[in-house]
Amino acid sequence: MNEILGFAGGDSRMQWARRYIEQAGYETADFPSETATHLILPLPAFDKEGNVTGGLPFSNLLSQISPGTHILGGKLGEQGKLFAKKGCEVTDYFLDEKLTAENAAITAEGAVQLAMSALPVTLRGSQALVIGWGRIGQLLCKYLSGLGCEVTAAARKKRDLAMIEALGYTAEETGVYRKGLSRYRVIFNTVPAPVMDAKQVAETWPDCLLVELSSGGKMENAVGRQMLPAGGLPGKTAPETAGILIGKTILRLLQKD
């Protein structure tokens, strides 16, 4: 193998990803590296300021990248386009369907773990609302139901609402919540958009636990409510599993080249 994979930034997930890649026989290096043929960036690749997550400013990174370097990162966004303009090959590994599906499973499991740790009651017999019917929302409903939780799922599309009911859950329309919000002991949001305003949050049970799973989501807080920001759960609750998953995905994508 003549590929040398340089690593920059990231949390403990990337340490596990690098270890997995090294055990597979690939040579790795810390960035900047004059010999690296590839640059591996974390998930997400960049923070809110546009710098490498856990690493150097983007402007410094871009100036040190050689044309022809293969960039692999998660959620590359506009920075990915700038790499391409410089003549780099660009791969957003978070677009890989297998990775996103398995990452959703890790997130859903971590959300359950977080709720169990924060609540003074069992999930069994508790009422839970899951906002959003994407991968994470669907898996979260499944896990909660398996623990004996009474699950309501909120979605906007009629076909999603029909599927929610077909699977035996209670269905609600996101942002409307006609059945009321005071019944829930825990509410999970998986949607990267505003889903519950301050007035609606104030209508929840005073001891309700609000779990914000989406970094772009927004449930307005209210006095007395416990709000848990829980974006990026895989790196917090299962970094080894999540990191090895990233490592496997990177190798699978490289082998397709």
Side-chain angles (χ1 to χ4, degrees):
M1 298 178 183
N2 55 4
E3 295 98 340
I4 300 176
L5 280 58
F7 280 76
D11 53 22
S12 58
R13 283 176 293 178
M14 299 313 293
Q15 296 173 19
W16 286 104
R18 183 170 180 174
R19 181 182 300 185
Y20 180 85
I21 288 169
E22 289 172 345
Q23 289 174 344
Y26 285 77
E27 184 178 349
T28 68
D30 293 323
F31 184 84
S33 168
E34 295 181 357
T35 59
T37 56
H38 300 68
L39 174 62
I40 310 300
L41 296 175
L43 171 65
F46 304 101
D47 59 23
K48 293 180 180 179
E49 286 70 43
N51 300 318
V52 177
T53 303
L56 69 169
F58 177 71
S59 57
N60 292 7
L61 174 66
L62 189 63
S63 67
Q64 296 178 65
I65 286 292
S66 301
T69 302
H70 188 174
I71 311 293
L72 296 101
K75 300 183 180 180
L76 289 170
E78 291 300 315
Q79 288 90 337
K81 296 177 182 179
L82 295 176
F83 284 132
K85 286 183 179 179
K86 191 165 182 179
C88 298
E89 181 180 354
V90 180
T91 300
D92 190 330
Y93 58 70
F94 198 63
L95 297 178
D96 182 82
E97 288 292 331
K98 183 175 177 61
L99 171 62
T100 53
E102 294 191 20
N103 202 67
I106 298 172
T107 300
E109 182 177 321
V112 171
Q113 177 184 334
L114 195 67
M116 292 176 71
S117 299
L119 287 169
V121 297
T122 62
L123 286 173
R124 180 177 58 83
S126 297
Q127 293 268 5
L129 171 63
V130 177
I131 303 174
W133 191 244
R135 290 185 180 91
I136 296 172
Q138 293 176 38
L139 288 164
L140 185 51
C141 287
K142 178 181 178 180
Y143 294 166
L144 290 169
S145 179
L147 289 170
C149 200
E150 298 180 37
V151 179
T152 298
R156 298 188 189 276
K157 296 178 181 178
K158 290 183 178 180
R159 65 181 182 184
D160 291 338
L161 293 170
M163 181 57 69
I164 288 167
E165 292 184 344
L167 290 172
Y169 310 126
T170 301
E172 274 278 35
E173 184 179 350
T174 301
V176 179
Y177 316 113
R178 291 185 177 88
K179 297 178 176 64
L181 293 164
S182 62
R183 60 197 296 194
Y184 303 113
R185 192 60 192 265
V186 57
I187 298 175
F188 302 88
N189 177 42
T190 71
V191 180
V195 294
M196 193 180 296
D197 60 29
K199 181 180 178 181
Q200 290 173 323
V201 174
E203 295 172 359
T204 62
W205 191 25
D207 291 325
C208 183
L209 173 66
L210 307 175
V211 183
E212 184 58 79
L213 293 169
S214 173
S215 57
K218 190 174 183 182
M219 290 190 289
E220 296 290 348
N221 208 344
V223 176
R225 304 312 190 270
Q226 184 181 6
M227 173 75 77
L228 293 180
L233 268 190
K236 300 172 184 175
T237 60
E240 179 179 346
T241 302
I244 290 174
L245 175 60
I246 291 172
K248 288 180 177 179
T249 302
I250 289 170
L251 293 189
R252 186 171 68 253
L253 294 173
L254 289 179
Q255 290 162 5
K256 289 181 180 179
D257 291 349

